[in-house]
PDB file of all heavy atoms in Angstrom:
ATOM      1  N   ALA A   1      -1.773   8.711  -8.480  1.00  0.00           N
ATOM      2  CA  ALA A   1      -0.625   8.565  -7.589  1.00  0.00           C
ATOM      3  C   ALA A   1      -0.458   9.813  -6.735  1.00  0.00           C
ATOM      4  O   ALA A   1      -0.681  10.935  -7.206  1.00  0.00           O
ATOM      5  CB  ALA A   1       0.649   8.306  -8.392  1.00  0.00           C
ATOM      6  N   GLU A   2      -0.048   9.611  -5.478  1.00  0.00           N
ATOM      7  CA  GLU A   2       0.158  10.702  -4.546  1.00  0.00           C
ATOM      8  C   GLU A   2       1.503  10.537  -3.868  1.00  0.00           C
ATOM      9  O   GLU A   2       1.844   9.467  -3.374  1.00  0.00           O
ATOM     10  CB  GLU A   2      -0.957  10.722  -3.501  1.00  0.00           C
ATOM     11  CG  GLU A   2      -0.853  11.868  -2.512  1.00  0.00           C
ATOM     12  CD  GLU A   2      -2.073  11.959  -1.610  1.00  0.00           C
ATOM     13  OE1 GLU A   2      -3.204  11.722  -2.103  1.00  0.00           O
ATOM     14  OE2 GLU A   2      -1.895  12.263  -0.415  1.00  0.00           O
ATOM     15  N   GLY A   3       2.281  11.623  -3.828  1.00  0.00           N
ATOM     16  CA  GLY A   3       3.585  11.604  -3.201  1.00  0.00           C
ATOM     17  C   GLY A   3       4.260  12.940  -3.381  1.00  0.00           C
ATOM     18  O   GLY A   3       3.611  13.934  -3.758  1.00  0.00           O
ATOM     19  N   SER A   4       5.543  12.997  -3.172  1.00  0.00           N
ATOM     20  CA  SER A   4       6.272  14.244  -3.352  1.00  0.00           C
ATOM     21  C   SER A   4       6.504  14.491  -4.840  1.00  0.00           C
ATOM     22  O   SER A   4       6.380  13.591  -5.670  1.00  0.00           O
ATOM     23  CB  SER A   4       7.612  14.180  -2.625  1.00  0.00           C
ATOM     24  OG  SER A   4       8.491  13.285  -3.304  1.00  0.00           O
ATOM     25  N   ALA A   5       6.883  15.728  -5.150  1.00  0.00           N
ATOM     26  CA  ALA A   5       7.166  16.071  -6.543  1.00  0.00           C
ATOM     27  C   ALA A   5       8.300  15.214  -7.090  1.00  0.00           C
ATOM     28  O   ALA A   5       8.255  14.754  -8.242  1.00  0.00           O
ATOM     29  CB  ALA A   5       7.521  17.558  -6.650  1.00  0.00           C
ATOM     30  N   GLU A   6       9.314  14.967  -6.261  1.00  0.00           N
ATOM     31  CA  GLU A   6      10.451  14.157  -6.693  1.00  0.00           C
ATOM     32  C   GLU A   6      10.036  12.704  -6.934  1.00  0.00           C
ATOM     33  O   GLU A   6      10.437  12.072  -7.932  1.00  0.00           O
ATOM     34  CB  GLU A   6      11.573  14.216  -5.651  1.00  0.00           C
ATOM     35  CG  GLU A   6      12.228  15.585  -5.495  1.00  0.00           C
ATOM     36  CD  GLU A   6      11.376  16.572  -4.690  1.00  0.00           C
ATOM     37  OE1 GLU A   6      10.371  16.131  -4.070  1.00  0.00           O
ATOM     38  OE2 GLU A   6      11.713  17.763  -4.691  1.00  0.00           O
ATOM     39  N   GLN A   7       9.241  12.162  -6.030  1.00  0.00           N
ATOM     40  CA  GLN A   7       8.773  10.777  -6.198  1.00  0.00           C
ATOM     41  C   GLN A   7       7.948  10.633  -7.473  1.00  0.00           C
ATOM     42  O   GLN A   7       8.118   9.682  -8.236  1.00  0.00           O
ATOM     43  CB  GLN A   7       7.933  10.360  -4.983  1.00  0.00           C
ATOM     44  CG  GLN A   7       8.721  10.135  -3.713  1.00  0.00           C
ATOM     45  CD  GLN A   7       7.807   9.974  -2.513  1.00  0.00           C
ATOM     46  OE1 GLN A   7       6.822  10.692  -2.361  1.00  0.00           O
ATOM     47  NE2 GLN A   7       8.144   9.027  -1.656  1.00  0.00           N
ATOM     48  N   LEU A   8       7.039  11.562  -7.698  1.00  0.00           N
ATOM     49  CA  LEU A   8       6.167  11.480  -8.869  1.00  0.00           C
ATOM     50  C   LEU A   8       6.952  11.655 -10.164  1.00  0.00           C
ATOM     51  O   LEU A   8       6.659  10.998 -11.168  1.00  0.00           O
ATOM     52  CB  LEU A   8       5.069  12.540  -8.768  1.00  0.00           C
ATOM     53  CG  LEU A   8       4.012  12.274  -7.695  1.00  0.00           C
ATOM     54  CD1 LEU A   8       3.150  13.508  -7.472  1.00  0.00           C
ATOM     55  CD2 LEU A   8       3.145  11.078  -8.066  1.00  0.00           C
ATOM     56  N   ALA A   9       7.951  12.521 -10.147  1.00  0.00           N
ATOM     57  CA  ALA A   9       8.765  12.715 -11.347  1.00  0.00           C
ATOM     58  C   ALA A   9       9.545  11.457 -11.686  1.00  0.00           C
ATOM     59  O   ALA A   9       9.611  11.039 -12.852  1.00  0.00           O
ATOM     60  CB  ALA A   9       9.713  13.898 -11.142  1.00  0.00           C
ATOM     61  N   SER A  10      10.133  10.813 -10.686  1.00  0.00           N
ATOM     62  CA  SER A  10      10.877   9.573 -10.917  1.00  0.00           C
ATOM     63  C   SER A  10       9.944   8.469 -11.380  1.00  0.00           C
ATOM     64  O   SER A  10      10.271   7.690 -12.282  1.00  0.00           O
ATOM     65  CB  SER A  10      11.600   9.150  -9.639  1.00  0.00           C
ATOM     66  OG  SER A  10      12.567  10.105  -9.261  1.00  0.00           O
ATOM     67  N   PHE A  11       8.771   8.403 -10.760  1.00  0.00           N
ATOM     68  CA  PHE A  11       7.764   7.403 -11.125  1.00  0.00           C
ATOM     69  C   PHE A  11       7.354   7.571 -12.585  1.00  0.00           C
ATOM     70  O   PHE A  11       7.322   6.593 -13.354  1.00  0.00           O
ATOM     71  CB  PHE A  11       6.566   7.558 -10.194  1.00  0.00           C
ATOM     72  CG  PHE A  11       5.401   6.666 -10.500  1.00  0.00           C
ATOM     73  CD1 PHE A  11       5.451   5.307 -10.241  1.00  0.00           C
ATOM     74  CD2 PHE A  11       4.229   7.199 -11.038  1.00  0.00           C
ATOM     75  CE1 PHE A  11       4.367   4.480 -10.508  1.00  0.00           C
ATOM     76  CE2 PHE A  11       3.141   6.377 -11.310  1.00  0.00           C
ATOM     77  CZ  PHE A  11       3.204   5.018 -11.043  1.00  0.00           C
ATOM     78  N   ALA A  12       7.070   8.801 -13.000  1.00  0.00           N
ATOM     79  CA  ALA A  12       6.645   9.062 -14.379  1.00  0.00           C
ATOM     80  C   ALA A  12       7.737   8.686 -15.368  1.00  0.00           C
ATOM     81  O   ALA A  12       7.467   8.105 -16.432  1.00  0.00           O
ATOM     82  CB  ALA A  12       6.263  10.530 -14.538  1.00  0.00           C
ATOM     83  N   ARG A  13       8.981   9.020 -15.046  1.00  0.00           N
ATOM     84  CA  ARG A  13      10.082   8.689 -15.942  1.00  0.00           C
ATOM     85  C   ARG A  13      10.237   7.177 -16.098  1.00  0.00           C
ATOM     86  O   ARG A  13      10.382   6.664 -17.218  1.00  0.00           O
ATOM     87  CB  ARG A  13      11.379   9.299 -15.402  1.00  0.00           C
ATOM     88  CG  ARG A  13      12.577   9.069 -16.334  1.00  0.00           C
ATOM     89  CD  ARG A  13      13.869   9.615 -15.769  1.00  0.00           C
ATOM     90  NE  ARG A  13      14.312   8.863 -14.579  1.00  0.00           N
ATOM     91  CZ  ARG A  13      14.224   9.307 -13.337  1.00  0.00           C
ATOM     92  NH1 ARG A  13      13.716  10.510 -13.076  1.00  0.00           N
ATOM     93  NH2 ARG A  13      14.649   8.565 -12.323  1.00  0.00           N
ATOM     94  N   GLU A  14      10.175   6.433 -14.997  1.00  0.00           N
ATOM     95  CA  GLU A  14      10.380   4.986 -15.065  1.00  0.00           C
ATOM     96  C   GLU A  14       9.192   4.254 -15.657  1.00  0.00           C
ATOM     97  O   GLU A  14       9.350   3.144 -16.174  1.00  0.00           O
ATOM     98  CB  GLU A  14      10.715   4.455 -13.667  1.00  0.00           C
ATOM     99  CG  GLU A  14      12.075   4.952 -13.185  1.00  0.00           C
ATOM    100  CD  GLU A  14      12.459   4.420 -11.819  1.00  0.00           C
ATOM    101  OE1 GLU A  14      11.776   3.501 -11.310  1.00  0.00           O
ATOM    102  OE2 GLU A  14      13.453   4.911 -11.250  1.00  0.00           O
ATOM    103  N   LEU A  15       8.001   4.853 -15.591  1.00  0.00           N
ATOM    104  CA  LEU A  15       6.856   4.263 -16.282  1.00  0.00           C
ATOM    105  C   LEU A  15       7.173   4.075 -17.758  1.00  0.00           C
ATOM    106  O   LEU A  15       6.814   3.058 -18.366  1.00  0.00           O
ATOM    107  CB  LEU A  15       5.621   5.149 -16.136  1.00  0.00           C
ATOM    108  CG  LEU A  15       4.781   5.031 -14.877  1.00  0.00           C
ATOM    109  CD1 LEU A  15       3.675   6.080 -14.869  1.00  0.00           C
ATOM    110  CD2 LEU A  15       4.182   3.637 -14.726  1.00  0.00           C
ATOM    111  N   ARG A  16       7.845   5.051 -18.343  1.00  0.00           N
ATOM    112  CA  ARG A  16       8.153   4.999 -19.776  1.00  0.00           C
ATOM    113  C   ARG A  16       9.445   4.233 -20.067  1.00  0.00           C
ATOM    114  O   ARG A  16       9.512   3.496 -21.045  1.00  0.00           O
ATOM    115  CB  ARG A  16       8.243   6.421 -20.333  1.00  0.00           C
ATOM    116  CG  ARG A  16       6.892   7.097 -20.469  1.00  0.00           C
ATOM    117  CD  ARG A  16       6.995   8.576 -20.764  1.00  0.00           C
ATOM    118  NE  ARG A  16       7.422   9.334 -19.594  1.00  0.00           N
ATOM    119  CZ  ARG A  16       7.310  10.657 -19.483  1.00  0.00           C
ATOM    120  NH1 ARG A  16       6.801  11.345 -20.473  1.00  0.00           N
ATOM    121  NH2 ARG A  16       7.718  11.278 -18.400  1.00  0.00           N
ATOM    122  N   GLU A  17      10.415   4.383 -19.191  1.00  0.00           N
ATOM    123  CA  GLU A  17      11.724   3.785 -19.470  1.00  0.00           C
ATOM    124  C   GLU A  17      11.783   2.295 -19.139  1.00  0.00           C
ATOM    125  O   GLU A  17      12.546   1.553 -19.769  1.00  0.00           O
ATOM    126  CB  GLU A  17      12.803   4.524 -18.671  1.00  0.00           C
ATOM    127  CG  GLU A  17      13.022   5.962 -19.122  1.00  0.00           C
ATOM    128  CD  GLU A  17      14.060   6.668 -18.280  1.00  0.00           C
ATOM    129  OE1 GLU A  17      14.529   6.066 -17.278  1.00  0.00           O
ATOM    130  OE2 GLU A  17      14.419   7.818 -18.627  1.00  0.00           O
ATOM    131  N   LEU A  18      11.003   1.839 -18.168  1.00  0.00           N
ATOM    132  CA  LEU A  18      11.105   0.456 -17.690  1.00  0.00           C
ATOM    133  C   LEU A  18       9.860  -0.367 -17.985  1.00  0.00           C
ATOM    134  O   LEU A  18       9.670  -1.429 -17.398  1.00  0.00           O
ATOM    135  CB  LEU A  18      11.369   0.454 -16.170  1.00  0.00           C
ATOM    136  CG  LEU A  18      12.576   1.264 -15.685  1.00  0.00           C
ATOM    137  CD1 LEU A  18      12.671   1.200 -14.172  1.00  0.00           C
ATOM    138  CD2 LEU A  18      13.862   0.755 -16.323  1.00  0.00           C
ATOM    139  N   ALA A  19       9.022   0.098 -18.875  1.00  0.00           N
ATOM    140  CA  ALA A  19       7.764  -0.606 -19.169  1.00  0.00           C
ATOM    141  C   ALA A  19       8.017  -2.059 -19.566  1.00  0.00           C
ATOM    142  O   ALA A  19       9.069  -2.386 -20.133  1.00  0.00           O
ATOM    143  CB  ALA A  19       7.019   0.118 -20.288  1.00  0.00           C
ATOM    144  N   PRO A  20       7.076  -2.977 -19.275  1.00  0.00           N
ATOM    145  CA  PRO A  20       7.260  -4.393 -19.607  1.00  0.00           C
ATOM    146  C   PRO A  20       7.602  -4.603 -21.082  1.00  0.00           C
ATOM    147  O   PRO A  20       7.122  -3.862 -21.949  1.00  0.00           O
ATOM    148  CB  PRO A  20       5.893  -5.010 -19.260  1.00  0.00           C
ATOM    149  CG  PRO A  20       5.324  -4.096 -18.231  1.00  0.00           C
ATOM    150  CD  PRO A  20       5.794  -2.726 -18.605  1.00  0.00           C
ATOM    151  N   PRO A  21       8.422  -5.594 -21.394  1.00  0.00           N
ATOM    152  CA  PRO A  21       8.900  -5.777 -22.768  1.00  0.00           C
ATOM    153  C   PRO A  21       7.810  -6.051 -23.791  1.00  0.00           C
ATOM    154  O   PRO A  21       7.984  -5.742 -24.968  1.00  0.00           O
ATOM    155  CB  PRO A  21       9.871  -6.968 -22.653  1.00  0.00           C
ATOM    156  CG  PRO A  21       9.519  -7.643 -21.367  1.00  0.00           C
ATOM    157  CD  PRO A  21       9.014  -6.572 -20.458  1.00  0.00           C
ATOM    158  N   LEU A  22       6.675  -6.621 -23.367  1.00  0.00           N
ATOM    159  CA  LEU A  22       5.610  -6.911 -24.311  1.00  0.00           C
ATOM    160  C   LEU A  22       4.652  -5.741 -24.493  1.00  0.00           C
ATOM    161  O   LEU A  22       3.741  -5.814 -25.303  1.00  0.00           O
ATOM    162  CB  LEU A  22       4.814  -8.149 -23.855  1.00  0.00           C
ATOM    163  CG  LEU A  22       5.596  -9.463 -23.751  1.00  0.00           C
ATOM    164  CD1 LEU A  22       4.674 -10.598 -23.337  1.00  0.00           C
ATOM    165  CD2 LEU A  22       6.284  -9.795 -25.070  1.00  0.00           C
ATOM    166  N   SER A  23       4.856  -4.665 -23.732  1.00  0.00           N
ATOM    167  CA  SER A  23       3.969  -3.514 -23.828  1.00  0.00           C
ATOM    168  C   SER A  23       4.440  -2.563 -24.935  1.00  0.00           C
ATOM    169  O   SER A  23       5.562  -2.657 -25.427  1.00  0.00           O
ATOM    170  CB  SER A  23       3.914  -2.769 -22.489  1.00  0.00           C
ATOM    171  OG  SER A  23       5.168  -2.175 -22.189  1.00  0.00           O
ATOM    172  N   ARG A  24       3.538  -1.644 -25.288  1.00  0.00           N
ATOM    173  CA  ARG A  24       3.881  -0.581 -26.234  1.00  0.00           C
ATOM    174  C   ARG A  24       3.104   0.665 -25.840  1.00  0.00           C
ATOM    175  O   ARG A  24       1.866   0.644 -25.825  1.00  0.00           O
ATOM    176  CB  ARG A  24       3.520  -0.974 -27.665  1.00  0.00           C
ATOM    177  CG  ARG A  24       4.051   0.001 -28.728  1.00  0.00           C
ATOM    178  CD  ARG A  24       3.460  -0.284 -30.096  1.00  0.00           C
ATOM    179  NE  ARG A  24       2.069   0.135 -30.188  1.00  0.00           N
ATOM    180  CZ  ARG A  24       1.133  -0.511 -30.885  1.00  0.00           C
ATOM    181  NH1 ARG A  24       1.439  -1.630 -31.514  1.00  0.00           N
ATOM    182  NH2 ARG A  24      -0.111  -0.067 -30.930  1.00  0.00           N
ATOM    183  N   ILE A  25       3.807   1.726 -25.488  1.00  0.00           N
ATOM    184  CA  ILE A  25       3.161   2.971 -25.088  1.00  0.00           C
ATOM    185  C   ILE A  25       2.999   3.863 -26.316  1.00  0.00           C
ATOM    186  O   ILE A  25       3.977   4.291 -26.924  1.00  0.00           O
ATOM    187  CB  ILE A  25       3.985   3.695 -24.002  1.00  0.00           C
ATOM    188  CG1 ILE A  25       4.031   2.834 -22.724  1.00  0.00           C
ATOM    189  CG2 ILE A  25       3.391   5.066 -23.695  1.00  0.00           C
ATOM    190  CD1 ILE A  25       4.889   3.424 -21.619  1.00  0.00           C
ATOM    191  N   ASP A  26       1.758   4.130 -26.688  1.00  0.00           N
ATOM    192  CA  ASP A  26       1.472   4.996 -27.831  1.00  0.00           C
ATOM    193  C   ASP A  26       1.227   6.436 -27.399  1.00  0.00           C
ATOM    194  O   ASP A  26       1.537   7.375 -28.137  1.00  0.00           O
ATOM    195  CB  ASP A  26       0.246   4.482 -28.599  1.00  0.00           C
ATOM    196  CG  ASP A  26       0.511   3.138 -29.259  1.00  0.00           C
ATOM    197  OD1 ASP A  26       1.690   2.823 -29.513  1.00  0.00           O
ATOM    198  OD2 ASP A  26      -0.460   2.402 -29.513  1.00  0.00           O
ATOM    199  N   HIS A  27       0.642   6.616 -26.229  1.00  0.00           N
ATOM    200  CA  HIS A  27       0.349   7.968 -25.748  1.00  0.00           C
ATOM    201  C   HIS A  27       0.438   7.974 -24.234  1.00  0.00           C
ATOM    202  O   HIS A  27      -0.090   7.087 -23.563  1.00  0.00           O
ATOM    203  CB  HIS A  27      -1.033   8.416 -26.205  1.00  0.00           C
ATOM    204  CG  HIS A  27      -1.365   9.825 -25.822  1.00  0.00           C
ATOM    205  ND1 HIS A  27      -2.215  10.124 -24.775  1.00  0.00           N
ATOM    206  CD2 HIS A  27      -0.939  11.009 -26.324  1.00  0.00           C
ATOM    207  CE1 HIS A  27      -2.302  11.449 -24.653  1.00  0.00           C
ATOM    208  NE2 HIS A  27      -1.550  12.005 -25.579  1.00  0.00           N
ATOM    209  N   PHE A  28       1.108   8.988 -23.698  1.00  0.00           N
ATOM    210  CA  PHE A  28       1.319   9.108 -22.251  1.00  0.00           C
ATOM    211  C   PHE A  28       0.910  10.519 -21.845  1.00  0.00           C
ATOM    212  O   PHE A  28       1.418  11.508 -22.401  1.00  0.00           O
ATOM    213  CB  PHE A  28       2.796   8.865 -21.929  1.00  0.00           C
ATOM    214  CG  PHE A  28       3.134   8.879 -20.462  1.00  0.00           C
ATOM    215  CD1 PHE A  28       3.292   7.698 -19.758  1.00  0.00           C
ATOM    216  CD2 PHE A  28       3.310  10.082 -19.780  1.00  0.00           C
ATOM    217  CE1 PHE A  28       3.613   7.706 -18.408  1.00  0.00           C
ATOM    218  CE2 PHE A  28       3.631  10.109 -18.437  1.00  0.00           C
ATOM    219  CZ  PHE A  28       3.782   8.915 -17.749  1.00  0.00           C
ATOM    220  N   SER A  29      -0.013  10.629 -20.904  1.00  0.00           N
ATOM    221  CA  SER A  29      -0.438  11.953 -20.450  1.00  0.00           C
ATOM    222  C   SER A  29      -0.525  11.963 -18.929  1.00  0.00           C
ATOM    223  O   SER A  29      -0.696  10.919 -18.288  1.00  0.00           O
ATOM    224  CB  SER A  29      -1.790  12.333 -21.056  1.00  0.00           C
ATOM    225  OG  SER A  29      -2.801  11.450 -20.587  1.00  0.00           O
ATOM    226  N   GLU A  30      -0.381  13.153 -18.359  1.00  0.00           N
ATOM    227  CA  GLU A  30      -0.533  13.299 -16.915  1.00  0.00           C
ATOM    228  C   GLU A  30      -1.155  14.647 -16.610  1.00  0.00           C
ATOM    229  O   GLU A  30      -1.022  15.597 -17.380  1.00  0.00           O
ATOM    230  CB  GLU A  30       0.799  13.143 -16.195  1.00  0.00           C
ATOM    231  CG  GLU A  30       1.868  14.152 -16.570  1.00  0.00           C
ATOM    232  CD  GLU A  30       3.163  13.905 -15.816  1.00  0.00           C
ATOM    233  OE1 GLU A  30       3.210  14.229 -14.604  1.00  0.00           O
ATOM    234  OE2 GLU A  30       4.113  13.389 -16.428  1.00  0.00           O
ATOM    235  N   ARG A  31      -1.850  14.704 -15.465  1.00  0.00           N
ATOM    236  CA  ARG A  31      -2.470  15.961 -15.040  1.00  0.00           C
ATOM    237  C   ARG A  31      -2.505  16.011 -13.524  1.00  0.00           C
ATOM    238  O   ARG A  31      -2.513  14.973 -12.858  1.00  0.00           O
ATOM    239  CB  ARG A  31      -3.887  16.103 -15.617  1.00  0.00           C
ATOM    240  CG  ARG A  31      -4.893  15.084 -15.093  1.00  0.00           C
ATOM    241  CD  ARG A  31      -6.230  15.215 -15.820  1.00  0.00           C
ATOM    242  NE  ARG A  31      -7.215  14.245 -15.329  1.00  0.00           N
ATOM    243  CZ  ARG A  31      -8.159  14.534 -14.433  1.00  0.00           C
ATOM    244  NH1 ARG A  31      -8.249  15.766 -13.925  1.00  0.00           N
ATOM    245  NH2 ARG A  31      -9.019  13.606 -14.047  1.00  0.00           N
ATOM    246  N   GLU A  32      -2.530  17.225 -12.990  1.00  0.00           N
ATOM    247  CA  GLU A  32      -2.605  17.415 -11.546  1.00  0.00           C
ATOM    248  C   GLU A  32      -4.022  17.107 -11.059  1.00  0.00           C
ATOM    249  O   GLU A  32      -5.009  17.397 -11.738  1.00  0.00           O
ATOM    250  CB  GLU A  32      -2.245  18.855 -11.174  1.00  0.00           C
ATOM    251  CG  GLU A  32      -0.812  19.239 -11.509  1.00  0.00           C
ATOM    252  CD  GLU A  32       0.199  18.546 -10.612  1.00  0.00           C
ATOM    253  OE1 GLU A  32      -0.166  18.125  -9.492  1.00  0.00           O
ATOM    254  OE2 GLU A  32       1.367  18.412 -11.050  1.00  0.00           O
ATOM    255  N   LEU A  33      -4.124  16.529  -9.854  1.00  0.00           N
ATOM    256  CA  LEU A  33      -5.398  16.292  -9.195  1.00  0.00           C
ATOM    257  C   LEU A  33      -5.433  17.104  -7.901  1.00  0.00           C
ATOM    258  O   LEU A  33      -4.398  17.283  -7.242  1.00  0.00           O
ATOM    259  CB  LEU A  33      -5.585  14.816  -8.871  1.00  0.00           C
ATOM    260  CG  LEU A  33      -5.712  13.838 -10.041  1.00  0.00           C
ATOM    261  CD1 LEU A  33      -5.808  12.413  -9.519  1.00  0.00           C
ATOM    262  CD2 LEU A  33      -6.932  14.165 -10.898  1.00  0.00           C
ATOM    263  N   PRO A  34      -6.611  17.573  -7.501  1.00  0.00           N
ATOM    264  CA  PRO A  34      -6.693  18.324  -6.242  1.00  0.00           C
ATOM    265  C   PRO A  34      -6.484  17.402  -5.049  1.00  0.00           C
ATOM    266  O   PRO A  34      -6.765  16.201  -5.110  1.00  0.00           O
ATOM    267  CB  PRO A  34      -8.113  18.896  -6.270  1.00  0.00           C
ATOM    268  CG  PRO A  34      -8.879  17.953  -7.146  1.00  0.00           C
ATOM    269  CD  PRO A  34      -7.921  17.492  -8.196  1.00  0.00           C
ATOM    270  N   LEU A  35      -6.017  17.967  -3.951  1.00  0.00           N
ATOM    271  CA  LEU A  35      -5.808  17.197  -2.729  1.00  0.00           C
ATOM    272  C   LEU A  35      -7.056  17.146  -1.864  1.00  0.00           C
ATOM    273  O   LEU A  35      -7.000  16.730  -0.713  1.00  0.00           O
ATOM    274  CB  LEU A  35      -4.648  17.804  -1.928  1.00  0.00           C
ATOM    275  CG  LEU A  35      -3.250  17.483  -2.440  1.00  0.00           C
ATOM    276  CD1 LEU A  35      -2.215  18.314  -1.689  1.00  0.00           C
ATOM    277  CD2 LEU A  35      -2.941  16.007  -2.296  1.00  0.00           C
ATOM    278  N   ALA A  36      -8.193  17.531  -2.422  1.00  0.00           N
ATOM    279  CA  ALA A  36      -9.452  17.482  -1.682  1.00  0.00           C
ATOM    280  C   ALA A  36      -9.842  16.038  -1.395  1.00  0.00           C
ATOM    281  O   ALA A  36      -9.236  15.093  -1.898  1.00  0.00           O
ATOM    282  CB  ALA A  36     -10.544  18.181  -2.493  1.00  0.00           C
ATOM    283  N   HIS A  37     -10.881  15.866  -0.575  1.00  0.00           N
ATOM    284  CA  HIS A  37     -11.345  14.524  -0.214  1.00  0.00           C
ATOM    285  C   HIS A  37     -11.603  13.695  -1.468  1.00  0.00           C
ATOM    286  O   HIS A  37     -12.276  14.131  -2.397  1.00  0.00           O
ATOM    287  CB  HIS A  37     -12.626  14.624   0.609  1.00  0.00           C
ATOM    288  CG  HIS A  37     -13.283  13.285   0.834  1.00  0.00           C
ATOM    289  ND1 HIS A  37     -12.753  12.335   1.682  1.00  0.00           N
ATOM    290  CD2 HIS A  37     -14.386  12.726   0.277  1.00  0.00           C
ATOM    291  CE1 HIS A  37     -13.523  11.256   1.665  1.00  0.00           C
ATOM    292  NE2 HIS A  37     -14.520  11.470   0.822  1.00  0.00           N
ATOM    293  N   ASP A  38     -11.048  12.519  -1.495  1.00  0.00           N
ATOM    294  CA  ASP A  38     -11.205  11.604  -2.634  1.00  0.00           C
ATOM    295  C   ASP A  38     -11.112  10.184  -2.093  1.00  0.00           C
ATOM    296  O   ASP A  38     -10.086   9.795  -1.544  1.00  0.00           O
ATOM    297  CB  ASP A  38     -10.110  11.853  -3.675  1.00  0.00           C
ATOM    298  CG  ASP A  38     -10.307  11.049  -4.952  1.00  0.00           C
ATOM    299  OD1 ASP A  38     -10.932   9.970  -4.881  1.00  0.00           O
ATOM    300  OD2 ASP A  38      -9.827  11.490  -6.011  1.00  0.00           O
ATOM    301  N   PRO A  39     -12.161   9.381  -2.224  1.00  0.00           N
ATOM    302  CA  PRO A  39     -12.141   8.015  -1.668  1.00  0.00           C
ATOM    303  C   PRO A  39     -11.052   7.132  -2.262  1.00  0.00           C
ATOM    304  O   PRO A  39     -10.665   6.137  -1.662  1.00  0.00           O
ATOM    305  CB  PRO A  39     -13.544   7.475  -2.000  1.00  0.00           C
ATOM    306  CG  PRO A  39     -14.045   8.339  -3.118  1.00  0.00           C
ATOM    307  CD  PRO A  39     -13.446   9.688  -2.879  1.00  0.00           C
ATOM    308  N   ASP A  40     -10.546   7.496  -3.425  1.00  0.00           N
ATOM    309  CA  ASP A  40      -9.466   6.699  -4.011  1.00  0.00           C
ATOM    310  C   ASP A  40      -8.135   6.931  -3.300  1.00  0.00           C
ATOM    311  O   ASP A  40      -7.195   6.156  -3.456  1.00  0.00           O
ATOM    312  CB  ASP A  40      -9.296   7.036  -5.496  1.00  0.00           C
ATOM    313  CG  ASP A  40     -10.353   6.376  -6.361  1.00  0.00           C
ATOM    314  OD1 ASP A  40     -10.810   5.281  -5.977  1.00  0.00           O
ATOM    315  OD2 ASP A  40     -10.718   6.961  -7.384  1.00  0.00           O
ATOM    316  N   PHE A  41      -8.030   8.019  -2.542  1.00  0.00           N
ATOM    317  CA  PHE A  41      -6.773   8.333  -1.864  1.00  0.00           C
ATOM    318  C   PHE A  41      -6.927   8.422  -0.348  1.00  0.00           C
ATOM    319  O   PHE A  41      -6.048   8.010   0.389  1.00  0.00           O
ATOM    320  CB  PHE A  41      -6.217   9.673  -2.375  1.00  0.00           C
ATOM    321  CG  PHE A  41      -5.757   9.644  -3.791  1.00  0.00           C
ATOM    322  CD1 PHE A  41      -6.609   9.981  -4.831  1.00  0.00           C
ATOM    323  CD2 PHE A  41      -4.461   9.255  -4.103  1.00  0.00           C
ATOM    324  CE1 PHE A  41      -6.182   9.954  -6.150  1.00  0.00           C
ATOM    325  CE2 PHE A  41      -4.023   9.221  -5.418  1.00  0.00           C
ATOM    326  CZ  PHE A  41      -4.884   9.571  -6.428  1.00  0.00           C
TER     327      PHE A  41
END
């Protein structure tokens, strides 16, 4: 995901708080990615 720090923080929080009812999150991790050329972005 790419966006502002505020957008990413809200996104990360809601990933855990609003997850689908049939899901179960056992482990959640995040890391910074460089802004260099990347075909995915």
Side-chain angles (χ1 to χ4, degrees):
E2 182 172 322
S4 71
E6 293 77 11
Q7 288 170 318
L8 289 168
S10 297
F11 176 72
R13 183 183 68 255
E14 292 181 11
L15 277 175
R16 287 169 287 196
E17 293 178 354
L18 305 178
L22 299 182
S23 67
R24 189 190 74 215
I25 296 177
D26 294 336
H27 184 257
F28 183 100
S29 65
E30 61 181 285
R31 66 186 180 98
E32 296 290 337
L33 294 177
L35 283 171
H37 171 72
D38 187 333
D40 282 330
F41 292 92

